[in-house]
Amino acid sequence: AADMADPGECSIKVVCRFRPLNSAEVARGDKYIPKFIGDDCVQIAGKPYHFDRVFQSNTTQVQFYNAVALKIVKDVLEGYNGTIFAYGQTSSGKTHTMEGKLHDPEMMGIIPRIVQDIFNYIYSMDENSEFHIKVSYFEIYLDKIRDLLDVTKTNLSVHEDKNRVPFVKGCTERFVCSPDEVMDAIDEGKNNRHVAVTNMNEHSSRSHSIFLINIKQENTQTEQKLTGKLYLVDLAGSEKVGKTGAEGTVLDEAKMINKSLSSLGNVISALAEGSKSYVPYRDSKMTRILQDSLGGNCRTTMVICCSPSAFNDAETRSTLLFGQRAKTIKNTVSLNVELTAEQWKKKWEKEKEKNKTLRTTITWLETELNRWRKGESVPVEEQFDKEKAKAEVVSLDAALNNNDKAAPKPSLGSLPGVALTGPEKEKYEAEMAKLYKELDDKDDEINQQSQEVEKLKQQLLDQELLESSRSDHNTLQTELNRLLAENEASKEEVKEVLQALEELAVNYDQKSQEVEDKTKEFEALSEELNQKSSSLASIDSELQKLKEMTNHQKKRVTEMMSCLLKDLAEIGIAVGSNDMKKIQQESSGLIDEEFTVARLYISKMKAEVKTMVKRSKQLESSQAERSQKLEETESDLTACKLRVSQYEAKIKSLTDSLQNVEHKKRQLEENVDLLNDEIVRIRAEENAEKVNAMEKENEIQSANEVKEAVEKQIQSHREAHQKQISSLRDELDSKEKLITELQDSNQEIVLEQERLKVEHEKLKAADQEKSRQLQELTLLQDRREQARQDLKGLEETVARELQTLHSLRRLFVQDLSRRVRKNGQDMDDSETCAAQKQKISFLESNLEQLTKVHKQQLVRDNASLRCEIPKMEKRLRATATRVQALEAALKEAKESAAREKKRYEEEMERIKDTVKPKNMGRRASAVIDPVKPIRPGQLPGASP
Ligand code: ADP
Ligand code: MG
């Protein structure tokens, strides 16, 4: 323990500094709220706040430095610890106060000035002093200590040294030899800070920056060592970070930001209360580091920075209150001096002497006091005297020094105030050392762990990045796979398409081949066609030629014929010549031949016509038979149908009647029940009457008679009732019967009508058929008539021809005979005459023969036609009669249909008439319903 010298209590020095209104506030027209009273009081809204010093807005940096920091520099250089805090809301002037413009001589803050002054002081010291100055620069953000002189150290831990003074372990300590080196370090640190963060304004308002100057000086002559630590702290903005937080801060972060400041407030509050029992230094790293500065061995100055604007009114006031609280904190300051061995010895001797003197004084005073208490009066010479006591101590000393060897040294053990024996103390110290060692180890471990944690965090981040990239990769892979699959599918498709194309190509080849074949075929065919057409043309031409030829021949034939006729005429003219006769003979032979051929044809045609007629007759007869049969079967069928429908109708009506009967039966049963009830009631009444009568028997004899009469009346009543019921029932039955009958008849009529309709249809059809046949027959007749006329014409022509032939012959014979006579008169050529006669006779015979044949043929034809005529006439007659019959039948059918219709209508009318009253009757019967309930109070005998 080296800090034992000159202990002294002193409170924290708190000064207040107001900055001027900034341009924005001026522009806004903010009110300047502080009122300065003297140089240690500021009044806001009438409330005064007292501090060690209050600096108005116009205070220059030099003024402030001289008034506040200069003294501290001196203290630190004399071996004391010092701290300067700057507290206040953001933009209240903390950084301006601490740093200012670092390289501007006028605007620089206290840090550069301190640095400068330290060195100035050192330079002014005597040559026996040796100085070792090292600086550290770190910031605390979210309760993490970040080394600003080594960016790799992001989370440093706080340890305690053997004197239980906390310090940032592992923090870079830069040894500096000149103010420039210090300034370089500061610049470097500030630069690092800027590099590390994105938003410097926000970051600086949320973090504490701490600049530490450690000065060690050694007097080379006396070997006295003095150490002084100076903390220069630019605190985070005192304004609370709201729960909503500033941009980019989550709630946890906001808590952390508030934590160090609130724990500073708590520490200050605890210290201000005065009870040093528990101060929550350990709540945050900052309070741990500044533990010595707050309520410890340190001369501490707190600068309360304030905004003068009315706009920051609330924050300013809370800042001022904080400063006032801090003002009450008392620190115990001692010099940090390391004594040389000689100094220690002297000090020890001195202390021992002091101790001895005090002890003799005590014993003296005690004895004197005792004597006084005992009532003795102590003479003046025996009373306590400082000089005498000193002298006594010296003499005692000599005596003690002699017996010193055995006695233990009491003073050493009593130093901490607790009596500890030597070994105990040793043990205790060993324990302490061990514990500190352990603590150090733990701290080391913690540091390692935190570094590990940092690393792991980094790794985690990397991992996350990797993970995300992996997931990206996966998604990409799946996408790729999908695309590949698609690609594959499309490839497949393409393949298929290609295959199809190939097939198509093959098909196309085949088709084209086929087409070629076909075209070849077609060509061949067309060629053939051409050939054919050419041959056709040739054939046509040939045909034309032939036609022409035939025409020509015909012409020629006609010419020949005309020639022949001419020749014949010539022959006629040249009657006398033999040659001519011969020619005539030849020609007549030719005509004969032609006639025979024509006759043969005609006969053949006749035969054919006959056979045709016969066949047609046969067919007609068979058709008639068939139609007759068909008619018969149809009539059978309709009869059957009729019967079936009749039966059906009957069944229907029967079921209806059955239902009706059932219904009636039920009604009647109900009636019977009702009547039974009535009877029972009536009997009961009768009984009652009887009882009455019995009671009154003696009194009224004649009552019996009355009763009997009543009974009889009732009996008659009942009988009448019964009769009425039975008559009603009979009536009902008869009505029902009537209804069923009517229904049946109705059914029958309907059916009959249907049947008649069908018959009518059939007759109509038959009529049509017959008329058609008639037409056909008339047509046939006409044709026959035509044929007959034709035949007659033919006969006439033949006859005319024959006549002409006869006349010709006669003419020819006359001519011939005349010629012969002429010849006989002229030449008397008997020979030629005989030949001519022979020829004529031949011709005559020939002619006769021809005529005979012709006649015979004609007669035959005539005969056959004649026998045909009556047959035809007969058939015509038959058809006519048939048509007449059919017409009559049709007429009859129509009439009968009309009649039936009329009958049906009449029937219908009748039915309607009969049904109407029946319904009305029914309704009427409903009015006098026998099922009508009988209510009590309605006397049955009341209505006779
Ligand atoms: P803090 O560090 O508290 O957030 P700053 O020190 O950055 O505030 O001050 C904010 C602004 O006000 C700076 O531009 C600074 O120059 C100016 N300023 C602060 N105090 C004073 C003063 N006493 N005189 C002139 N300007 C000042
Ligand atoms: Mg600042």
Side-chain angles (χ1 to χ4, degrees):
D3 48 350
M4 298 285 138
D6 300 322
E9 219 179 38
C10 73
S11 20
I12 286 180
K13 203 171 150 189
V14 180
V15 301
C16 173
R17 188 183 189 183
F18 275 85
R19 66 163 169 81
L21 284 169
N22 64 33
S23 53
E25 286 162 348
V26 169
R28 203 163 50 191
D30 284 2
K31 211 185 152 196
Y32 187 89
I33 51 165
K35 267 194 191 131
F36 299 95
I37 300 158
D39 63 356
D40 64 350
C41 181
V42 64
Q43 211 176 30
I44 287 181
K47 190 173 187 281
Y49 300 88
H50 290 274
F51 297 100
D52 291 303
R53 272 293 294 272
V54 173
F55 296 95
Q56 299 192 17
S57 305
N58 57 3
T59 313
T60 62
Q61 296 281 54
V62 191
Q63 284 171 341
F64 185 80
Y65 174 74
N66 288 334
V68 174
L70 196 60
K71 174 77 171 46
I72 291 183
V73 174
K74 220 183 126 212
D75 286 345
V76 171
L77 286 165
E78 280 171 0
Y80 292 97
N81 290 334
T83 302
I84 301 176
F85 284 116
Y87 181 95
Q89 72 176 112
T90 299
S91 90
S92 58
K94 297 186 295 293
T95 309
H96 175 81
T97 300
M98 297 306 288
E99 294 171 5
K101 284 174 185 151
L102 288 170
H103 303 285
D104 184 329
E106 234 175 87
M107 293 305 285
M108 60 169 62
I110 52 178
I111 291 172
R113 282 175 207 276
I114 285 169
V115 170
Q116 195 63 54
D117 265 6
I118 285 168
F119 281 96
N120 285 342
Y121 180 85
I122 291 165
Y123 299 147
S124 69
M125 289 288 276
D126 60 46
E127 289 167 355
N128 293 329
S129 293
E130 246 182 39
F131 285 85
H132 299 280
I133 303 171
K134 49 185 183 181
V135 294
S136 296
Y137 197 14
F138 49 86
E139 68 168 2
I140 301 173
Y141 181 65
L142 299 176
D143 214 37
K144 272 186 198 163
I145 302 168
R146 214 152 64 91
D147 197 338
L148 290 175
L149 298 179
D150 184 352
V151 286
T152 61
K153 297 170 183 173
T154 55
N155 194 5
L156 297 167
S157 56
V158 180
H159 280 216
E160 277 179 18
D161 64 9
K162 58 186 172 194
N163 296 319
R164 307 208 64 187
V165 177
F167 70 101
V168 179
K169 197 182 175 196
C171 162
T172 307
E173 291 179 312
R174 186 163 293 176
F175 286 93
V176 287
C177 304
S178 68
D180 285 345
E181 280 181 11
V182 182
M183 292 315 288
D184 284 350
I186 292 170
D187 286 338
E188 193 188 324
K190 278 182 83 74
N191 215 29
N192 283 338
R193 202 180 176 200
H194 273 284
V195 166
V197 296
T198 46
N199 186 352
M200 193 53 212
N201 282 338
E202 198 189 300
H203 179 79
S204 67
S205 73
R206 309 256 144 120
S207 62
H208 315 282
S209 80
I210 298 168
F211 189 69
L212 171 64
I213 304 171
N214 214 319
I215 302 168
K216 206 184 237 180
Q217 53 180 299
E218 199 180 338
N219 194 310
T220 45
Q221 273 190 340
T222 58
E223 285 184 32
Q224 184 184 264
K225 285 173 189 166
L226 288 171
T227 53
K229 265 193 212 169
L230 178 60
Y231 280 104
L232 299 162
V233 184
D234 187 352
L235 288 168
S238 62
E239 71 278 358
K240 280 265 192 291
V241 178
K243 269 185 185 169
T244 46
E247 280 174 59
T249 54
V250 288
L251 191 60
D252 283 345
E253 228 174 336
K255 271 187 203 160
M256 277 301 216
I257 288 160
N258 289 330
K259 187 183 166 187
S260 51
L261 260 181
S262 63
S263 56
L264 175 67
N266 292 339
V267 165
I268 284 169
S269 294
L271 290 167
E273 272 171 33
S275 62
K276 286 195 174 181
S277 54
Y278 177 71
V279 183
Y281 291 117
R282 285 181 173 271
D283 275 7
S284 79
K285 280 188 175 153
M286 199 197 49
T287 47
R288 285 270 285 141
I289 294 165
L290 301 174
Q291 189 174 339
D292 230 18
S293 312
L294 301 159
N297 174 24
C298 192
R299 290 191 196 276
T300 300
T301 298
M302 189 174 282
V303 184
I304 298 294
C305 295
C306 294
S307 156
S309 166
F311 187 76
N312 300 119
D313 179 28
E315 204 58 57
T316 301
R317 273 193 269 182
S318 83
T319 304
L320 291 170
L321 282 172
F322 178 88
Q324 287 211 314
R325 239 183 303 142
K327 217 168 89 75
T328 60
I329 296 169
K330 297 264 189 298
N331 281 2
T332 315
V333 197
S334 60
L335 194 68
N336 305 320
V337 63
E338 263 182 59
L339 301 175
T340 59
E342 202 59 36
Q343 275 176 322
W344 275 117
K345 223 176 190 175
K346 270 185 200 161
K347 199 179 178 183
W348 158 247
E349 290 299 326
K350 221 174 158 184
E351 288 295 320
K352 219 165 80 179
E353 216 165 294
K354 226 190 210 168
N355 197 20
K356 272 175 201 160
T357 320
L358 285 171
R359 208 176 282 172
T360 27
T361 311
I362 288 164
T363 23
W364 199 323
L365 284 169
E366 268 178 355
T367 43
E368 199 185 323
L369 187 69
N370 281 339
R371 281 176 70 184
W372 280 111
R373 279 188 183 151
K374 277 173 191 164
E376 282 177 46
S377 64
V378 182
V380 183
E381 60 269 21
E382 283 179 34
Q383 276 178 12
F384 175 71
D385 182 21
K386 241 183 183 175
E387 293 307 309
K388 266 190 194 170
K390 260 188 186 170
E392 214 172 292
V393 164
V394 172
S395 64
L396 236 160
D397 232 14
L400 263 168
N401 274 345
N402 293 336
N403 329 333
D404 212 11
K405 271 132 202 172
K409 288 173 185 171
S411 53
L412 249 161
S414 63
L415 265 173
V418 187
L420 283 173
T421 56
E424 255 182 282
K425 199 196 167 195
E426 266 169 38
K427 206 176 129 194
Y428 166 75
E429 272 177 355
E431 194 81 10
M432 281 280 279
K434 213 176 101 188
L435 280 170
Y436 276 130
K437 181 105 195 349
E438 257 174 50
L439 213 68
D440 277 3
D441 288 349
K442 285 278 169 230
D443 277 340
D444 275 343
E445 216 174 286
I446 285 164
N447 202 23
Q448 268 178 4
Q449 293 288 351
S450 67
Q451 263 160 7
E452 198 82 7
V453 162
E454 277 302 309
K455 254 194 239 162
L456 283 171
K457 260 187 193 165
Q458 194 59 42
Q459 268 182 9
L460 209 69
L461 266 172
D462 289 353
Q463 210 82 40
E464 267 169 30
L465 219 89
L466 210 73
E467 203 60 43
S468 71
S469 60
R470 198 170 288 162
S471 70
D472 276 359
H473 175 251
N474 277 351
T475 51
L476 283 171
Q477 194 67 41
T478 48
E479 187 76 5
L480 194 70
N481 282 345
R482 198 176 59 76
L483 285 171
L484 276 175
E486 256 175 49
N487 187 23
E488 211 59 39
S490 49
K491 260 188 195 166
E492 205 65 29
E493 240 173 76
V494 164
K495 233 189 240 172
E496 273 173 33
V497 166
L498 279 176
Q499 217 168 326
L501 271 174
E502 256 173 55
E503 273 172 36
L504 276 173
V506 169
N507 260 13
Y508 176 74
D509 281 353
Q510 279 180 358
K511 292 280 162 187
S512 56
Q513 194 65 40
E514 268 174 48
V515 164
E516 255 174 54
D517 289 354
K518 291 279 164 191
T519 42
K520 263 182 206 163
E521 246 172 76
F522 174 71
E523 271 166 24
L525 281 170
S526 56
E527 225 169 278
E528 223 173 290
L529 192 71
N530 276 346
Q531 277 177 2
K532 294 274 168 187
S533 55
S534 63
S535 67
L536 191 72
S538 67
I539 284 163
D540 260 348
S541 62
E542 247 171 75
L543 192 72
Q544 207 65 35
K545 264 186 214 165
L546 281 171
K547 264 182 189 167
E548 269 170 33
M549 256 160 72
T550 45
N551 274 352
H552 189 66
Q553 266 167 357
K554 263 182 196 168
K555 240 185 227 168
R556 270 186 63 184
V557 165
T558 44
E559 266 171 35
M560 261 163 71
M561 281 295 278
S562 55
C563 245
L564 276 169
L565 281 172
K566 239 190 249 170
D567 283 353
L568 207 64
E570 272 172 34
I571 287 166
I573 293 158
V575 186
S577 78
N578 284 335
D579 291 351
M580 274 179 191
K581 270 178 198 168
K582 262 179 204 168
I583 290 161
Q584 203 158 15
Q585 224 172 351
E586 271 172 29
S587 72
S588 72
L590 242 162
I591 287 161
D592 268 352
E593 258 175 57
E594 268 176 33
F595 264 122
T596 42
V597 168
R599 251 177 240 134
L600 280 170
Y601 263 110
I602 286 161
S603 63
K604 233 186 239 174
M605 291 228 325
K606 264 178 200 164
E608 245 168 77
V609 164
K610 260 182 220 166
T611 51
M612 290 279 273
V613 164
K614 229 181 257 171
R615 263 194 80 185
S616 76
K617 253 188 227 166
Q618 271 177 358
L619 284 167
E620 259 173 33
S621 67
S622 68
Q623 199 191 2
E625 265 174 45
R626 269 189 206 137
S627 60
Q628 219 172 332
K629 260 184 202 169
L630 201 71
E631 266 171 48
E632 275 169 24
T633 45
E634 264 178 14
S635 66
D636 276 358
L637 190 71
T638 43
C640 282
K641 270 183 190 168
L642 199 74
R643 228 172 285 155
V644 165
S645 49
Q646 269 177 345
Y647 282 131
E648 272 175 358
K650 240 174 216 168
I651 285 161
K652 210 174 155 193
S653 69
L654 279 169
T655 46
D656 282 355
S657 68
L658 204 71
Q659 271 176 350
N660 270 348
V661 164
E662 205 111 318
H663 183 66
K664 265 201 195 132
K665 195 181 135 199
R666 216 170 20 219
Q667 269 187 354
L668 288 168
E669 273 170 4
E670 277 168 17
N671 271 7
V672 166
D673 286 349
L674 241 128
L675 288 167
N676 278 343
D677 281 357
E678 207 177 331
I679 286 158
V680 167
R681 208 163 51 79
I682 286 159
R683 276 211 186 123
E685 262 169 55
E686 271 170 33
N687 281 347
E689 268 173 54
K690 258 185 207 167
V691 169
N692 270 351
M694 287 268 267
E695 274 174 9
K696 286 173 189 176
E697 208 174 7
N698 298 335
E699 288 172 34
I700 310 148
Q701 195 69 35
S702 60
N704 263 338
E705 283 163 38
V706 173
K707 196 187 91 193
E708 265 170 44
V710 164
E711 260 177 37
K712 258 180 204 164
Q713 207 179 348
I714 285 160
Q715 198 68 32
S716 66
H717 219 79
R718 208 181 292 159
E719 271 165 23
H721 206 92
Q722 217 79 30
K723 260 181 210 164
Q724 204 181 342
I725 284 163
S726 56
S727 72
L728 278 167
R729 270 180 197 163
D730 287 351
E731 208 180 321
L732 224 63
D733 282 349
S734 66
K735 289 276 155 125
E736 255 167 57
K737 249 180 233 164
L738 188 67
I739 285 162
T740 44
E741 270 170 27
L742 283 168
Q743 272 171 350
D744 285 357
S745 65
N746 187 21
Q747 201 73 31
E748 267 173 46
I749 284 154
V750 168
L751 287 167
E752 186 72 16
Q753 197 193 6
E754 267 173 32
R755 195 177 58 79
L756 283 168
K757 259 186 196 164
V758 169
E759 231 167 84
H760 178 69
E761 286 302 315
K762 230 171 34 184
L763 281 168
K764 254 188 194 166
D767 187 23
Q768 268 170 4
E769 180 69 21
K770 291 293 164 191
S771 55
R772 200 177 51 78
Q773 270 183 2
L774 189 66
Q775 250 169 3
E776 266 176 42
L777 283 168
T778 42
L779 217 72
L780 216 68
Q781 184 72 17
D782 283 354
R783 233 181 279 157
R784 289 256 161 81
E785 206 65 38
Q786 188 76 36
R788 214 196 294 177
Q789 228 113 54
D790 284 355
L791 219 58
K792 251 182 203 166
L794 203 68
E795 258 174 73
E796 271 168 26
T797 46
V798 167
R800 227 181 289 138
E801 257 175 66
L802 274 170
Q803 221 142 19
T804 48
L805 214 63
H806 271 290
S807 63
L808 256 169
R809 210 185 89 190
R810 217 184 300 129
L811 270 170
F812 184 64
V813 169
Q814 274 172 3
D815 203 24
L816 216 65
S817 56
R818 204 177 51 213
R819 270 190 205 180
V820 167
R821 235 175 286 143
K822 225 186 199 177
N823 274 5
Q825 283 168 358
D826 292 345
M827 305 168 206
D828 257 350
D829 197 332
S830 58
E831 223 180 294
T832 45
C833 197
Q836 264 181 350
K837 262 181 189 168
Q838 207 178 353
K839 202 152 196 183
I840 285 163
S841 68
F842 172 72
L843 274 170
E844 268 176 340
S845 72
N846 220 354
L847 199 67
E848 241 166 313
Q849 217 178 347
L850 200 70
T851 336
K852 222 197 266 169
V853 168
H854 203 87
K855 227 176 203 168
Q856 266 172 5
Q857 186 71 36
L858 277 172
V859 166
R860 240 190 341 236
D861 282 2
N862 222 357
S864 71
L865 278 168
R866 239 172 235 145
C867 33
E868 200 96 337
I869 285 160
K871 265 187 221 162
M872 283 298 195
E873 272 170 359
K874 216 171 150 188
R875 268 183 70 185
L876 196 66
R877 265 205 300 280
T879 13
T881 48
R882 180 105 178 97
V883 164
Q884 264 175 359
L886 281 168
E887 269 171 353
L890 185 65
K891 206 175 159 190
E892 208 183 319
K894 268 179 185 167
E895 272 170 16
S896 74
R899 262 207 311 281
E900 286 295 332
K901 201 175 166 189
K902 207 174 166 190
R903 201 161 70 87
Y904 168 72
E905 272 168 6
E906 275 169 10
E907 197 78 24
M908 280 300 283
E909 209 64 35
R910 201 171 60 79
I911 286 158
K912 269 181 197 164
D913 288 346
T914 47
V915 166
K916 233 183 252 170
K918 217 157 97 185
N919 280 349
M920 270 153 78
R922 245 184 221 161
R923 245 169 268 152
S925 73
V927 171
I928 46 151
D929 201 340
V931 195
K932 195 178 169 188
I934 299 146
R935 301 204 162 78
Q938 281 180 328
L939 283 170
S943 56

